[in-house]
Amino acid sequence: HPGEEEGHHGVDRSEGSRGTLTTRIGLPVDSALPGKVAGVIPDRPPYGNAVIIETPLEMLPSGWLDVLQPPGPVATLAPDPRMICTLPTQPASWDVNKRSLYILYAHFNQAAIVKPGSNLKCGQQIGAVGSTGMSGNPHLHFEVRVGPSGATFGSMAYYDTSESPEEMSTYCEWRISQLFELIDPMKLLSLNP
């Protein structure tokens, strides 16, 4: 439900060795699309070590928008009242007239190997499979959203008493503000990026 903190907002990918149920920690994680690093999260709950990459919608191959069916811009709504959220005012640098696809890759075994603002090629390594944050086993969490172009994200955290007000605010902005609308990640993966 838009504006509510419910359910799992992505897909978890686990790549194991043939014939075993053991996931290979350290398996490289590559960028599914070209784009710009919009945020790097140091080992913070719930995502652990993570990175967010922005790809402007106009950079997507022809026909992809028909499959992804991104929602149009929506106004920010009040977050779930069960959450403690103070949403910041939208930074002037964001372009609300343009939309971008944002992919969050989470639970890396170590800090992401890319820096905020870096331009990436499709297939460029950004980290490695791990189990940081609120993860029960090694895997890659893959979450896809559409939001205003040019957004940047600092550290985000929630569900832990050590998070700062800024980390909580960034988490709420990403997850429940409705500025960044959830897209079914399986639709993107079906396009074999």
Side-chain angles (χ1 to χ4, degrees):
H1 301 291
E4 293 183 6
E5 175 69 347
E6 291 182 358
H8 188 262
H9 289 205
V11 63
D12 290 341
R13 302 284 310 234
S14 179
E15 304 294 334
S17 302
R18 252 189 210 283
T20 72
L21 297 177
T22 306
T23 298
R24 293 181 282 169
I25 291 179
L27 186 71
V29 174
D30 300 335
S31 177
L33 297 173
K36 186 175 193 173
V37 177
V40 173
I41 303 166
D43 193 7
R44 303 295 293 138
Y47 292 118
N49 291 313
V51 66
I52 300 173
I53 300 174
E54 173 189 11
T55 303
L57 293 183
E58 63 264 15
M59 285 182 59
L60 296 177
S62 177
W64 279 30
L65 293 179
D66 294 334
V67 174
L68 296 175
Q69 300 176 339
V74 292
T76 302
L77 300 179
D80 188 327
R82 297 172 290 184
M83 307 266 308
I84 299 171
C85 288
T86 303
L87 297 175
T89 304
Q90 183 174 310
S93 64
W94 293 7
D95 188 345
V96 295
N97 297 313
K98 291 187 179 181
R99 312 275 286 154
S100 289
L101 188 76
Y102 292 88
I103 301 175
L104 180 139
Y105 305 79
H107 305 308
F108 293 167
N109 66 338
Q110 298 174 357
I113 61 173
V114 294
K115 303 290 182 211
S118 300
N119 290 311
L120 304 176
K121 296 176 183 173
C122 181
Q124 185 173 338
Q125 186 176 354
I126 57 175
V129 171
S131 188
T132 57
M134 297 175 97
S135 169
N137 58 4
H139 69 283
L140 172 68
H141 175 83
F142 187 82
E143 190 171 319
V144 182
R145 295 180 183 273
V146 171
S149 292
T152 57
F153 302 90
S155 182
M156 68 171 81
Y158 209 86
Y159 304 112
D160 185 271
T161 58
S162 70
E163 73 262 3
S164 70
E166 293 81 17
E167 287 177 318
M168 289 172 53
S169 178
T170 302
Y171 178 84
C172 291
E173 189 171 62
W174 170 255
R175 290 276 296 211
I176 63 173
S177 72
Q178 296 190 40
L179 281 172
F180 299 92
E181 290 290 318
L182 189 62
I183 297 287
D184 180 352
M186 294 309 290
K187 288 181 179 180
L188 177 62
L189 293 173
S190 75
L191 295 167
N192 294 314

PDB file of all heavy atoms in Angstrom, residues 32-62:
ATOM      1  N   ALA A  32      23.118  -3.450 -12.907  1.00  0.00           N
ATOM      2  CA  ALA A  32      22.215  -3.986 -13.928  1.00  0.00           C
ATOM      3  C   ALA A  32      22.035  -3.020 -15.089  1.00  0.00           C
ATOM      4  O   ALA A  32      21.702  -3.435 -16.193  1.00  0.00           O
ATOM      5  CB  ALA A  32      20.857  -4.306 -13.306  1.00  0.00           C
ATOM      6  N   LEU A  33      22.242  -1.730 -14.843  1.00  0.00           N
ATOM      7  CA  LEU A  33      22.067  -0.694 -15.860  1.00  0.00           C
ATOM      8  C   LEU A  33      23.183   0.332 -15.738  1.00  0.00           C
ATOM      9  O   LEU A  33      23.771   0.480 -14.671  1.00  0.00           O
ATOM     10  CB  LEU A  33      20.723   0.024 -15.664  1.00  0.00           C
ATOM     11  CG  LEU A  33      19.447  -0.787 -15.807  1.00  0.00           C
ATOM     12  CD1 LEU A  33      18.245   0.059 -15.414  1.00  0.00           C
ATOM     13  CD2 LEU A  33      19.293  -1.303 -17.222  1.00  0.00           C
ATOM     14  N   PRO A  34      23.436   1.086 -16.808  1.00  0.00           N
ATOM     15  CA  PRO A  34      24.361   2.205 -16.644  1.00  0.00           C
ATOM     16  C   PRO A  34      23.681   3.276 -15.807  1.00  0.00           C
ATOM     17  O   PRO A  34      22.446   3.347 -15.754  1.00  0.00           O
ATOM     18  CB  PRO A  34      24.582   2.687 -18.086  1.00  0.00           C
ATOM     19  CG  PRO A  34      23.352   2.282 -18.810  1.00  0.00           C
ATOM     20  CD  PRO A  34      22.883   1.005 -18.151  1.00  0.00           C
ATOM     21  N   GLY A  35      24.450   4.098 -15.153  1.00  0.00           N
ATOM     22  CA  GLY A  35      23.838   5.154 -14.359  1.00  0.00           C
ATOM     23  C   GLY A  35      24.847   5.867 -13.491  1.00  0.00           C
ATOM     24  O   GLY A  35      26.060   5.726 -13.652  1.00  0.00           O
ATOM     25  N   LYS A  36      24.312   6.601 -12.541  1.00  0.00           N
ATOM     26  CA  LYS A  36      25.120   7.404 -11.627  1.00  0.00           C
ATOM     27  C   LYS A  36      24.826   6.948 -10.203  1.00  0.00           C
ATOM     28  O   LYS A  36      23.674   6.696  -9.845  1.00  0.00           O
ATOM     29  CB  LYS A  36      24.752   8.874 -11.792  1.00  0.00           C
ATOM     30  CG  LYS A  36      25.607   9.833 -11.022  1.00  0.00           C
ATOM     31  CD  LYS A  36      25.216  11.263 -11.382  1.00  0.00           C
ATOM     32  CE  LYS A  36      26.259  12.226 -10.880  1.00  0.00           C
ATOM     33  NZ  LYS A  36      25.994  13.584 -11.366  1.00  0.00           N
ATOM     34  N   VAL A  37      25.869   6.861  -9.390  1.00  0.00           N
ATOM     35  CA  VAL A  37      25.689   6.449  -7.997  1.00  0.00           C
ATOM     36  C   VAL A  37      24.996   7.591  -7.254  1.00  0.00           C
ATOM     37  O   VAL A  37      25.547   8.674  -7.099  1.00  0.00           O
ATOM     38  CB  VAL A  37      27.031   6.090  -7.336  1.00  0.00           C
ATOM     39  CG1 VAL A  37      26.816   5.728  -5.874  1.00  0.00           C
ATOM     40  CG2 VAL A  37      27.707   4.944  -8.084  1.00  0.00           C
ATOM     41  N   ALA A  38      23.769   7.332  -6.814  1.00  0.00           N
ATOM     42  CA  ALA A  38      22.965   8.339  -6.116  1.00  0.00           C
ATOM     43  C   ALA A  38      23.132   8.257  -4.606  1.00  0.00           C
ATOM     44  O   ALA A  38      22.772   9.186  -3.889  1.00  0.00           O
ATOM     45  CB  ALA A  38      21.487   8.184  -6.483  1.00  0.00           C
ATOM     46  N   GLY A  39      23.666   7.146  -4.122  1.00  0.00           N
ATOM     47  CA  GLY A  39      23.870   7.006  -2.687  1.00  0.00           C
ATOM     48  C   GLY A  39      24.651   5.759  -2.342  1.00  0.00           C
ATOM     49  O   GLY A  39      24.569   4.751  -3.048  1.00  0.00           O
ATOM     50  N   VAL A  40      25.422   5.864  -1.284  1.00  0.00           N
ATOM     51  CA  VAL A  40      26.161   4.723  -0.738  1.00  0.00           C
ATOM     52  C   VAL A  40      25.823   4.662   0.745  1.00  0.00           C
ATOM     53  O   VAL A  40      25.949   5.650   1.468  1.00  0.00           O
ATOM     54  CB  VAL A  40      27.683   4.880  -0.944  1.00  0.00           C
ATOM     55  CG1 VAL A  40      28.433   3.768  -0.230  1.00  0.00           C
ATOM     56  CG2 VAL A  40      28.024   4.894  -2.435  1.00  0.00           C
ATOM     57  N   ILE A  41      25.368   3.502   1.191  1.00  0.00           N
ATOM     58  CA  ILE A  41      24.964   3.313   2.582  1.00  0.00           C
ATOM     59  C   ILE A  41      25.999   2.437   3.278  1.00  0.00           C
ATOM     60  O   ILE A  41      26.241   1.309   2.837  1.00  0.00           O
ATOM     61  CB  ILE A  41      23.570   2.665   2.661  1.00  0.00           C
ATOM     62  CG1 ILE A  41      22.546   3.501   1.905  1.00  0.00           C
ATOM     63  CG2 ILE A  41      23.157   2.442   4.111  1.00  0.00           C
ATOM     64  CD1 ILE A  41      21.231   2.784   1.638  1.00  0.00           C
ATOM     65  N   PRO A  42      26.616   2.949   4.342  1.00  0.00           N
ATOM     66  CA  PRO A  42      27.537   2.105   5.114  1.00  0.00           C
ATOM     67  C   PRO A  42      26.711   1.163   5.983  1.00  0.00           C
ATOM     68  O   PRO A  42      25.566   1.456   6.285  1.00  0.00           O
ATOM     69  CB  PRO A  42      28.309   3.109   5.956  1.00  0.00           C
ATOM     70  CG  PRO A  42      27.347   4.241   6.152  1.00  0.00           C
ATOM     71  CD  PRO A  42      26.500   4.296   4.902  1.00  0.00           C
ATOM     72  N   ASP A  43      27.215   0.103   6.385  1.00  0.00           N
ATOM     73  CA  ASP A  43      26.518  -0.960   7.117  1.00  0.00           C
ATOM     74  C   ASP A  43      25.501  -0.449   8.140  1.00  0.00           C
ATOM     75  O   ASP A  43      25.798  -0.329   9.320  1.00  0.00           O
ATOM     76  CB  ASP A  43      27.562  -1.846   7.796  1.00  0.00           C
ATOM     77  CG  ASP A  43      26.976  -3.144   8.317  1.00  0.00           C
ATOM     78  OD1 ASP A  43      25.797  -3.428   8.047  1.00  0.00           O
ATOM     79  OD2 ASP A  43      27.705  -3.869   9.012  1.00  0.00           O
ATOM     80  N   ARG A  44      24.280  -0.148   7.670  1.00  0.00           N
ATOM     81  CA  ARG A  44      23.214   0.393   8.515  1.00  0.00           C
ATOM     82  C   ARG A  44      21.946  -0.448   8.321  1.00  0.00           C
ATOM     83  O   ARG A  44      21.665  -0.904   7.210  1.00  0.00           O
ATOM     84  CB  ARG A  44      22.912   1.850   8.148  1.00  0.00           C
ATOM     85  CG  ARG A  44      24.117   2.787   8.233  1.00  0.00           C
ATOM     86  CD  ARG A  44      24.654   2.950   9.644  1.00  0.00           C
ATOM     87  NE  ARG A  44      23.690   3.645  10.447  1.00  0.00           N
ATOM     88  CZ  ARG A  44      23.383   3.327  11.709  1.00  0.00           C
ATOM     89  NH1 ARG A  44      23.980   2.335  12.305  1.00  0.00           N
ATOM     90  NH2 ARG A  44      22.491   4.011  12.377  1.00  0.00           N
ATOM     91  N   PRO A  45      21.170  -0.655   9.382  1.00  0.00           N
ATOM     92  CA  PRO A  45      19.939  -1.436   9.259  1.00  0.00           C
ATOM     93  C   PRO A  45      18.858  -0.636   8.521  1.00  0.00           C
ATOM     94  O   PRO A  45      18.805   0.574   8.689  1.00  0.00           O
ATOM     95  CB  PRO A  45      19.534  -1.689  10.714  1.00  0.00           C
ATOM     96  CG  PRO A  45      20.161  -0.577  11.491  1.00  0.00           C
ATOM     97  CD  PRO A  45      21.411  -0.198  10.750  1.00  0.00           C
ATOM     98  N   PRO A  46      18.020  -1.208   7.722  1.00  0.00           N
ATOM     99  CA  PRO A  46      17.932  -2.640   7.448  1.00  0.00           C
ATOM    100  C   PRO A  46      18.775  -3.103   6.263  1.00  0.00           C
ATOM    101  O   PRO A  46      18.967  -4.287   6.060  1.00  0.00           O
ATOM    102  CB  PRO A  46      16.454  -2.828   7.123  1.00  0.00           C
ATOM    103  CG  PRO A  46      16.052  -1.560   6.452  1.00  0.00           C
ATOM    104  CD  PRO A  46      16.858  -0.481   7.152  1.00  0.00           C
ATOM    105  N   TYR A  47      19.311  -2.175   5.428  1.00  0.00           N
ATOM    106  CA  TYR A  47      19.950  -2.556   4.173  1.00  0.00           C
ATOM    107  C   TYR A  47      21.407  -2.994   4.294  1.00  0.00           C
ATOM    108  O   TYR A  47      21.946  -3.574   3.363  1.00  0.00           O
ATOM    109  CB  TYR A  47      19.859  -1.409   3.167  1.00  0.00           C
ATOM    110  CG  TYR A  47      18.462  -1.119   2.695  1.00  0.00           C
ATOM    111  CD1 TYR A  47      17.858   0.108   2.936  1.00  0.00           C
ATOM    112  CD2 TYR A  47      17.734  -2.068   1.978  1.00  0.00           C
ATOM    113  CE1 TYR A  47      16.577   0.378   2.479  1.00  0.00           C
ATOM    114  CE2 TYR A  47      16.453  -1.808   1.523  1.00  0.00           C
ATOM    115  CZ  TYR A  47      15.878  -0.577   1.773  1.00  0.00           C
ATOM    116  OH  TYR A  47      14.603  -0.313   1.316  1.00  0.00           O
ATOM    117  N   GLY A  48      22.065  -2.709   5.410  1.00  0.00           N
ATOM    118  CA  GLY A  48      23.481  -3.043   5.526  1.00  0.00           C
ATOM    119  C   GLY A  48      24.300  -2.202   4.569  1.00  0.00           C
ATOM    120  O   GLY A  48      23.964  -1.049   4.289  1.00  0.00           O
ATOM    121  N   ASN A  49      25.383  -2.769   4.047  1.00  0.00           N
ATOM    122  CA  ASN A  49      26.174  -2.082   3.028  1.00  0.00           C
ATOM    123  C   ASN A  49      25.370  -2.095   1.734  1.00  0.00           C
ATOM    124  O   ASN A  49      24.985  -3.169   1.252  1.00  0.00           O
ATOM    125  CB  ASN A  49      27.514  -2.788   2.803  1.00  0.00           C
ATOM    126  CG  ASN A  49      28.437  -2.637   3.988  1.00  0.00           C
ATOM    127  OD1 ASN A  49      28.619  -1.551   4.518  1.00  0.00           O
ATOM    128  ND2 ASN A  49      29.021  -3.746   4.425  1.00  0.00           N
ATOM    129  N   ALA A  50      25.135  -0.914   1.175  1.00  0.00           N
ATOM    130  CA  ALA A  50      24.259  -0.838   0.006  1.00  0.00           C
ATOM    131  C   ALA A  50      24.644   0.329  -0.890  1.00  0.00           C
ATOM    132  O   ALA A  50      25.386   1.224  -0.483  1.00  0.00           O
ATOM    133  CB  ALA A  50      22.803  -0.681   0.466  1.00  0.00           C
ATOM    134  N   VAL A  51      24.110   0.310  -2.098  1.00  0.00           N
ATOM    135  CA  VAL A  51      24.318   1.391  -3.052  1.00  0.00           C
ATOM    136  C   VAL A  51      23.020   1.610  -3.833  1.00  0.00           C
ATOM    137  O   VAL A  51      22.260   0.668  -4.061  1.00  0.00           O
ATOM    138  CB  VAL A  51      25.514   1.087  -3.999  1.00  0.00           C
ATOM    139  CG1 VAL A  51      25.243  -0.095  -4.891  1.00  0.00           C
ATOM    140  CG2 VAL A  51      25.897   2.283  -4.830  1.00  0.00           C
ATOM    141  N   ILE A  52      22.752   2.870  -4.197  1.00  0.00           N
ATOM    142  CA  ILE A  52      21.600   3.227  -5.030  1.00  0.00           C
ATOM    143  C   ILE A  52      22.143   3.845  -6.310  1.00  0.00           C
ATOM    144  O   ILE A  52      22.959   4.769  -6.266  1.00  0.00           O
ATOM    145  CB  ILE A  52      20.670   4.225  -4.323  1.00  0.00           C
ATOM    146  CG1 ILE A  52      20.142   3.630  -3.016  1.00  0.00           C
ATOM    147  CG2 ILE A  52      19.505   4.623  -5.248  1.00  0.00           C
ATOM    148  CD1 ILE A  52      19.343   4.611  -2.157  1.00  0.00           C
ATOM    149  N   ILE A  53      21.673   3.330  -7.446  1.00  0.00           N
ATOM    150  CA  ILE A  53      22.120   3.829  -8.753  1.00  0.00           C
ATOM    151  C   ILE A  53      20.928   4.397  -9.512  1.00  0.00           C
ATOM    152  O   ILE A  53      19.877   3.758  -9.601  1.00  0.00           O
ATOM    153  CB  ILE A  53      22.808   2.714  -9.560  1.00  0.00           C
ATOM    154  CG1 ILE A  53      24.032   2.213  -8.775  1.00  0.00           C
ATOM    155  CG2 ILE A  53      23.198   3.217 -10.954  1.00  0.00           C
ATOM    156  CD1 ILE A  53      24.708   1.026  -9.380  1.00  0.00           C
ATOM    157  N   GLU A  54      21.124   5.598 -10.073  1.00  0.00           N
ATOM    158  CA  GLU A  54      20.082   6.299 -10.836  1.00  0.00           C
ATOM    159  C   GLU A  54      20.329   6.144 -12.333  1.00  0.00           C
ATOM    160  O   GLU A  54      21.438   6.357 -12.809  1.00  0.00           O
ATOM    161  CB  GLU A  54      20.090   7.786 -10.498  1.00  0.00           C
ATOM    162  CG  GLU A  54      19.150   8.589 -11.373  1.00  0.00           C
ATOM    163  CD  GLU A  54      19.287  10.097 -11.231  1.00  0.00           C
ATOM    164  OE1 GLU A  54      20.254  10.561 -10.599  1.00  0.00           O
ATOM    165  OE2 GLU A  54      18.434  10.809 -11.763  1.00  0.00           O
ATOM    166  N   THR A  55      19.281   5.801 -13.072  1.00  0.00           N
ATOM    167  CA  THR A  55      19.304   5.776 -14.529  1.00  0.00           C
ATOM    168  C   THR A  55      18.103   6.581 -15.019  1.00  0.00           C
ATOM    169  O   THR A  55      16.962   6.198 -14.762  1.00  0.00           O
ATOM    170  CB  THR A  55      19.212   4.329 -15.077  1.00  0.00           C
ATOM    171  OG1 THR A  55      20.275   3.554 -14.532  1.00  0.00           O
ATOM    172  CG2 THR A  55      19.281   4.314 -16.591  1.00  0.00           C
ATOM    173  N   PRO A  56      18.322   7.720 -15.695  1.00  0.00           N
ATOM    174  CA  PRO A  56      17.201   8.504 -16.209  1.00  0.00           C
ATOM    175  C   PRO A  56      16.321   7.655 -17.135  1.00  0.00           C
ATOM    176  O   PRO A  56      16.837   6.845 -17.922  1.00  0.00           O
ATOM    177  CB  PRO A  56      17.868   9.651 -16.976  1.00  0.00           C
ATOM    178  CG  PRO A  56      19.222   9.784 -16.330  1.00  0.00           C
ATOM    179  CD  PRO A  56      19.609   8.373 -15.976  1.00  0.00           C
ATOM    180  N   LEU A  57      15.006   7.823 -17.035  1.00  0.00           N
ATOM    181  CA  LEU A  57      14.093   7.022 -17.844  1.00  0.00           C
ATOM    182  C   LEU A  57      14.371   7.156 -19.330  1.00  0.00           C
ATOM    183  O   LEU A  57      14.226   6.198 -20.092  1.00  0.00           O
ATOM    184  CB  LEU A  57      12.636   7.400 -17.544  1.00  0.00           C
ATOM    185  CG  LEU A  57      12.107   7.052 -16.151  1.00  0.00           C
ATOM    186  CD1 LEU A  57      10.635   7.425 -16.032  1.00  0.00           C
ATOM    187  CD2 LEU A  57      12.327   5.588 -15.810  1.00  0.00           C
ATOM    188  N   GLU A  58      14.818   8.343 -19.774  1.00  0.00           N
ATOM    189  CA  GLU A  58      15.069   8.522 -21.200  1.00  0.00           C
ATOM    190  C   GLU A  58      16.280   7.722 -21.688  1.00  0.00           C
ATOM    191  O   GLU A  58      16.473   7.561 -22.895  1.00  0.00           O
ATOM    192  CB  GLU A  58      15.211  10.002 -21.579  1.00  0.00           C
ATOM    193  CG  GLU A  58      16.376  10.712 -20.935  1.00  0.00           C
ATOM    194  CD  GLU A  58      16.012  11.464 -19.667  1.00  0.00           C
ATOM    195  OE1 GLU A  58      14.929  11.247 -19.091  1.00  0.00           O
ATOM    196  OE2 GLU A  58      16.844  12.281 -19.226  1.00  0.00           O
ATOM    197  N   MET A  59      17.083   7.186 -20.772  1.00  0.00           N
ATOM    198  CA  MET A  59      18.232   6.353 -21.154  1.00  0.00           C
ATOM    199  C   MET A  59      17.853   4.885 -21.332  1.00  0.00           C
ATOM    200  O   MET A  59      18.661   4.090 -21.821  1.00  0.00           O
ATOM    201  CB  MET A  59      19.345   6.455 -20.104  1.00  0.00           C
ATOM    202  CG  MET A  59      20.115   7.744 -20.139  1.00  0.00           C
ATOM    203  SD  MET A  59      21.469   7.771 -18.909  1.00  0.00           S
ATOM    204  CE  MET A  59      22.448   6.351 -19.405  1.00  0.00           C
ATOM    205  N   LEU A  60      16.643   4.511 -20.925  1.00  0.00           N
ATOM    206  CA  LEU A  60      16.240   3.111 -21.028  1.00  0.00           C
ATOM    207  C   LEU A  60      15.953   2.748 -22.478  1.00  0.00           C
ATOM    208  O   LEU A  60      15.478   3.583 -23.256  1.00  0.00           O
ATOM    209  CB  LEU A  60      14.994   2.853 -20.176  1.00  0.00           C
ATOM    210  CG  LEU A  60      15.161   3.050 -18.675  1.00  0.00           C
ATOM    211  CD1 LEU A  60      13.835   2.822 -17.959  1.00  0.00           C
ATOM    212  CD2 LEU A  60      16.239   2.133 -18.112  1.00  0.00           C
ATOM    213  N   PRO A  61      16.242   1.506 -22.868  1.00  0.00           N
ATOM    214  CA  PRO A  61      15.972   1.069 -24.239  1.00  0.00           C
ATOM    215  C   PRO A  61      14.487   1.195 -24.601  1.00  0.00           C
ATOM    216  O   PRO A  61      13.602   1.112 -23.743  1.00  0.00           O
ATOM    217  CB  PRO A  61      16.401  -0.404 -24.235  1.00  0.00           C
ATOM    218  CG  PRO A  61      17.395  -0.502 -23.129  1.00  0.00           C
ATOM    219  CD  PRO A  61      16.911   0.470 -22.082  1.00  0.00           C
ATOM    220  N   SER A  62      14.250   1.362 -25.882  1.00  0.00           N
ATOM    221  CA  SER A  62      12.890   1.478 -26.405  1.00  0.00           C
ATOM    222  C   SER A  62      12.046   0.278 -25.967  1.00  0.00           C
ATOM    223  O   SER A  62      12.500  -0.860 -26.029  1.00  0.00           O
ATOM    224  CB  SER A  62      12.951   1.545 -27.930  1.00  0.00           C
ATOM    225  OG  SER A  62      11.667   1.579 -28.469  1.00  0.00           O
TER     226      SER A  62
END
